[in-house]
């Protein structure tokens, strides 16, 4: 299974049509360079090394963090590259720890529409990105309150599969859970009813936190009610509970079933959460997660 980095590299390599060089692209390159130079390697989990001659990060390090080729990133900084995609801009914003204002500025310089709030290219707070970077020995990812995966560390990709390729409402795992039978293979069948109830109760809490006119949550609920009799029946029960922590069993195509504790750290507005997975005590999941850390995403080649 391809990693998020490889997916971004492929998208970046596709030539963009209709692009005309402009002063904005020169400014985009200068902006990227200024943001790169302010970050220390240790801030993003890299080793500085004794012979470092440049302030901040090197170009190749930014390319590595964003999942781009070094040549492609060099072209961006020179203002001579192709128009970067929304996916690449989101990856650069996370790699360079941009604030939400800086992220919006980057998108405008690239003549790209600002990402829809809550979509796969949503801005991740730099502090949450820093925490994810430091969680190197446990699967972890950042999702929205509607269960759209924004970014995963390599172990999360190895455990759960690459979530970077979904678009639109299908980017929400809750949407896929009630509309795509393949999504349910992640959990043992005996756990499906409990997972469904938990997803719906958590979604009701998320919808209540949002503005009543928020279209994203309203349209998601309307579509699921129309397409899934199971969802409609559970929604009518009016159960509400924020999913703060959970013990769950996860099916892995190579390692089998792992029993893990899933812990959550919420952003201030509750719209994003950092999830990390630890082995449940008294099970063999610790050994399986150790094996996952050794072999990594090679194990995800089997279909999920």
């Amino acid at each position: 299974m391809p990693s998020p980095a490889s997916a971004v590299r492929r998208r970046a390599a596709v030539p963009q049509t209709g692009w005309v060089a402009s002063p904005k692209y020169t400014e985009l390159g200068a902006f990227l360079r200024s943001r790169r130079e302010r970050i220390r390697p240790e801030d993003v989990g890299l080793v500085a090394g004794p012979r470092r001659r440049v302030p901040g990060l090197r170009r190749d390090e930014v390319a590595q963090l964003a999942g781009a080729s070094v040549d492609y990133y060099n072209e961006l900084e020179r203002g001579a590259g192709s128009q970067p995609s929304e996916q690449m801009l989101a990856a650069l914003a996370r790699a360079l720890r941009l604030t939400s204002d800086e992220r919006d500025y980057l998108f405008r310089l690239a003549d790209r529409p600002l990402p829809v709030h809550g979509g796969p290219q949503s801005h991740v707070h730099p502090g949450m990105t820093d925490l994810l970077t430091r969680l190197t020995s446990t699967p972890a990812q950042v999702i929205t309150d509607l269960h759209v995966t924004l970014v995963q560390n390599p172990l999360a990709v190895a455990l759960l599969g690459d979530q970077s390729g979904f678009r639109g409402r299908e980017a929400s795992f809750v949407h896929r859970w009630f509309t795509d039978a393949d999504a349910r293979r992640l959990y043992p069948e005996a756990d499906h009813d409990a997972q469904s109830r938990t997803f719906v109760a958590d979604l009701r809490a998320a919808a209540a936190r949002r503005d009543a006119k928020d279209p994203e949550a309203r349209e998601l609920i309307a579509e699921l009610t129309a397409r899934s009799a199971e969802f409609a029946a559970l929604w009518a029960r009016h159960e509400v509970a924020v999913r703060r922590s959970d013990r769950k069993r996860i099916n892995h195509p190579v390692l089998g079933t792992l029993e893990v504790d899933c812990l959550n750290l919420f952003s201030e507005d509750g719209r994003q959460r950092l999830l990390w997975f630890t082995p449940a005590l008294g099970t063999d999941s610790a050994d399986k997660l150790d094996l996952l850390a050794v072999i990594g995403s090679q194990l995800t080649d089997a279909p999920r």
Side-chain angles (χ1 to χ4, degrees), residues 10-91:
R10 288 196 303 274
R11 288 190 290 266
V14 176
Q16 303 291 332
T17 59
W19 176 76
V20 178
S22 73
K24 272 191 173 183
Y25 289 90
T26 301
E27 175 61 25
L28 184 148
F31 180 65
L32 289 174
R33 184 168 58 254
S34 71
R35 301 304 88 183
R36 170 173 62 83
E37 291 176 348
R38 72 177 180 174
I39 299 177
R40 301 175 303 171
E42 53 268 32
D43 293 336
V44 293
L46 298 175
V47 178
R51 298 183 178 179
R52 201 164 193 90
R53 298 180 179 178
V54 296
L57 298 179
R58 298 192 301 262
R59 291 187 182 91
D60 64 295
E61 291 170 333
V62 176
Q64 174 189 345
L65 291 169
S69 71
V70 177
D71 289 342
Y72 180 80
Y73 182 75
N74 287 341
E75 290 295 305
L76 287 180
E77 278 209 5
R78 287 200 291 267
S82 60
Q83 184 185 30
S85 67
E86 289 92 338
Q87 292 87 355
M88 175 54 67
L89 293 171

Side-chain angles (χ1 to χ4, degrees), residues 9 44 52 68 109 149 154-155 178 191 213 223 262 270:
R9 280 194 293 271
V44 293
R52 201 164 193 90
L109 288 177
T149 300
L155 284 178
F178 288 103
D191 299 346
K213 298 179 180 179
E223 180 173 338
C262 178

Side-chain angles (χ1 to χ4, degrees), residues 14-304:
V14 176
Q16 303 291 332
T17 59
W19 176 76
V20 178
S22 73
K24 272 191 173 183
Y25 289 90
T26 301
E27 175 61 25
L28 184 148
F31 180 65
L32 289 174
R33 184 168 58 254
S34 71
R35 301 304 88 183
R36 170 173 62 83
E37 291 176 348
R38 72 177 180 174
I39 299 177
R40 301 175 303 171
E42 53 268 32
D43 293 336
V44 293
L46 298 175
V47 178
R51 298 183 178 179
R52 201 164 193 90
R53 298 180 179 178
V54 296
L57 298 179
R58 298 192 301 262
R59 291 187 182 91
D60 64 295
E61 291 170 333
V62 176
Q64 174 189 345
L65 291 169
S69 71
V70 177
D71 289 342
Y72 180 80
Y73 182 75
N74 287 341
E75 290 295 305
L76 287 180
E77 278 209 5
R78 287 200 291 267
S82 60
Q83 184 185 30
S85 67
E86 289 92 338
Q87 292 87 355
M88 175 54 67
L89 293 171
L92 288 170
R94 292 164 188 163
L96 295 170
R97 304 300 194 263
L98 301 188
T99 66
S100 57
D101 290 337
E102 291 171 332
R103 189 281 313 265
D104 290 353
Y105 181 65
L106 180 66
F107 271 74
R108 291 189 176 101
L109 288 177
D111 292 319
R112 292 291 190 183
L114 297 184
V116 177
H117 187 75
Q121 278 74 59
S122 289
H123 179 67
V124 180
H125 190 282
M128 196 166 284
T129 305
D130 286 339
L131 283 174
L132 182 67
T133 299
R134 298 176 192 280
L135 291 172
T136 58
S137 61
T138 189
Q141 60 186 18
V142 178
I143 69 171
T144 72
D145 56 344
L146 302 185
H147 294 261
V148 174
T149 300
L150 301 179
V151 61
Q152 299 173 281
N153 71 5
L155 284 178
V157 174
L159 176 65
L160 305 171
D162 184 354
Q163 306 295 306
S164 65
F166 296 102
R167 298 290 177 267
R169 291 199 186 98
E170 289 187 353
S172 166
F173 186 73
V174 172
H175 182 280
R176 300 199 303 277
W177 179 261
F178 288 103
T179 61
D180 183 357
D182 284 344
R184 300 202 169 201
R185 291 191 297 168
L186 185 65
Y187 299 124
E189 186 174 357
D191 299 346
H192 288 183
D193 288 346
Q195 291 295 336
S196 293
R197 289 185 61 184
T198 301
F199 279 134
V200 174
D202 186 75
L203 179 59
R204 184 174 284 280
R209 280 195 304 270
R210 293 179 173 227
D211 189 288
K213 298 179 180 179
D214 182 278
E216 187 185 11
R218 185 180 68 248
E219 291 170 6
L220 174 63
I221 293 166
E223 180 173 338
L224 289 178
T225 302
R227 293 184 58 179
S228 170
E230 180 191 17
F231 178 87
L234 290 172
W235 189 256
R237 295 170 65 168
H238 293 273
E239 293 180 343
V240 55
V242 177
R243 195 171 196 168
R244 294 184 174 89
S245 63
D246 198 8
R247 175 165 291 192
K248 58 180 65 177
R249 296 187 298 166
I250 295 176
N251 290 329
H252 190 274
V254 176
L255 298 179
T257 301
L258 293 83
E259 189 167 353
V260 297
D261 292 318
C262 178
L263 307 173
N264 295 251
L265 176 66
F266 290 81
S267 62
E268 290 184 1
D269 62 2
R271 288 203 174 198
Q272 292 183 10
R273 60 187 75 171
L274 173 65
L275 309 181
W276 70 98
F277 302 86
T278 60
L281 295 177
T283 71
D284 64 352
S285 295
D287 293 335
K288 290 180 178 180
L289 285 177
D290 287 342
L291 181 58
L292 191 73
V294 172
I295 303 178
S297 60
Q298 297 175 21
L299 292 177
T300 62
D301 290 340
R304 300 307 299 268

